[in-house]
Amino acid sequence: MQGGAYLTFTVAVDGKGGVGKTTFAALAIRHLHESTGEVILAVDADPNANLGLKLGTEPGRTVGSIREELTATGEEPPKGMSRQEHLEYQIRLALKEGASFDLLTMGRQEGPGCYCYVNNMLRTFVDALSEQCKYVVIDNEAGMEHLSRRTTRSSDVFFVLCDRSKTSLEAARRISALASEMKLSTKRKILVFNMLDPESEGPPMHEVEGFDAVHGVRKSSFIQARTQESESLLDVPRRDPAFSDVARAVDAERAIK
């Protein structure tokens, strides 16, 4: 993680299960790095962690495992170190640093109880790291429950993915409404129709209530075939329809910011 203070551009990605949000997040991370040269902070906020695999790496130590370790030791920090300093030190060790992105993975907690503590740990550290990097992409848990837990406290762009089905679109609308109800600090909410026909010229709708803009991402035969061999999306050609559409949507929002 590079030092220095930046005016951060934060992207959060959401949607019901199965609409391709993790693929969208991974392609956005890759595009942001390749187009800016910056190291991207990639946050896998889904307990069912898959973002690292899409980025060609194992997640390593997770925030959830840190919670279990601290619980097992009574959460007492070493002598001379405050609890907060100890927590930040442990999470920094879990940050998997790379040449193009730094990956922080929430992961699952093994013991009983809610995720409140893990969420608070994640939020606190992401807030601190966001002051040291220029681009942050957060892959959220599928659905809406995490919004009430405020896993994502603020973002410049909140991409909500859906497919062309009525149930998926309604789920996206509910996610948007709940984000407003929870008063999340989000500058723009963007609806993304994912996995459109490769010959599609754009999303089936150009305006949807509750969203500031609508984008479309075409289906990728390359990605579909690639998943039979590897989850990594690092070798997807830039001319691939899905990659180019994700890049176009991200760049459109960067230009507005």
Side-chain angles (χ1 to χ4, degrees):
M1 181 62 60
Q2 300 174 349
Y6 293 106
L7 184 62
T8 304
F9 179 67
T10 302
V11 171
V13 185
D14 210 319
K16 70 185 290 290
V19 294
K21 65 180 185 58
T22 301
T23 293
F24 183 98
L27 293 177
I29 290 164
R30 183 182 152 193
H31 169 66
L32 283 169
H33 167 69
E34 292 179 353
S35 61
T36 68
E38 297 283 347
V39 176
I40 313 302
L41 174 59
V43 181
D44 191 342
D46 190 340
N48 184 24
N50 288 302
L51 182 60
L53 297 177
K54 298 290 185 185
L55 293 171
T57 185
E58 293 290 334
R61 199 173 179 211
T62 68
V63 178
S65 67
I66 292 172
R67 182 263 188 190
E68 298 304 318
E69 292 166 14
L70 294 181
T71 300
T73 58
E75 303 182 12
E76 290 300 323
K79 186 174 294 185
M81 181 179 287
S82 71
R83 185 167 296 179
Q84 183 65 26
E85 289 171 336
H86 181 49
L87 173 62
E88 292 185 2
Y89 173 72
Q90 292 297 325
I91 298 181
R92 188 169 289 277
L93 289 179
L95 184 68
K96 195 164 188 179
E97 298 185 321
S100 57
F101 61 86
D102 294 339
L103 176 64
L104 182 63
T105 304
M106 176 176 175
R108 294 184 180 275
Q109 62 185 37
E110 298 300 325
C114 74
Y115 274 90
C116 298
Y117 185 53
V118 177
N119 287 331
N120 288 335
M121 293 168 67
L122 185 67
R123 279 199 309 266
T124 298
F125 198 62
V126 170
D127 286 348
L129 287 177
S130 294
E131 298 177 0
Q132 305 171 36
C133 57
K134 194 167 184 180
Y135 296 98
V136 180
V137 177
I138 304 172
D139 180 25
N140 282 318
E141 180 180 359
M144 300 189 294
E145 184 181 352
H146 66 90
L147 294 179
S148 62
R149 296 196 303 260
R150 294 179 180 269
T151 302
T152 304
R153 182 146 48 193
S154 64
S155 60
D156 293 290
V157 187
F158 188 40
F159 286 109
V160 182
L161 271 64
C162 71
D163 54 34
R164 297 194 60 166
S165 70
K166 182 178 179 180
T167 55
S168 180
L169 178 57
E170 287 305 313
R173 285 185 169 126
R174 289 195 295 272
I175 289 171
S176 173
L178 183 57
S180 298
E181 181 182 325
M182 297 302 300
K183 295 182 169 56
L184 300 185
S185 178
T186 298
K187 294 179 181 177
R188 285 174 59 81
K189 289 185 291 184
I190 309 301
L191 180 64
V192 177
F193 284 93
N194 198 24
M195 296 181 286
L196 297 177
D197 187 284
E199 303 303 319
S200 172
E201 295 182 357
M205 305 177 189
H206 296 282
E207 289 185 14
V208 177
E209 185 177 356
F211 293 94
D212 297 293
V214 179
H215 289 282
V217 175
R218 290 166 291 172
K219 189 181 300 182
S220 166
S221 58
F222 181 92
I223 292 176
Q224 287 183 310
R226 189 74 177 91
T227 55
Q228 298 177 16
E229 304 172 11
S230 169
E231 290 291 328
S232 175
L233 301 177
L234 297 184
D235 60 349
V236 176
R238 290 202 61 85
R239 65 181 180 277
D240 179 85
F243 195 175
S244 60
D245 289 346
V246 171
R248 187 179 302 110
V250 170
D251 286 346
E253 296 306 314
R254 283 177 58 206
I256 291 173
K257 192 197 189 277

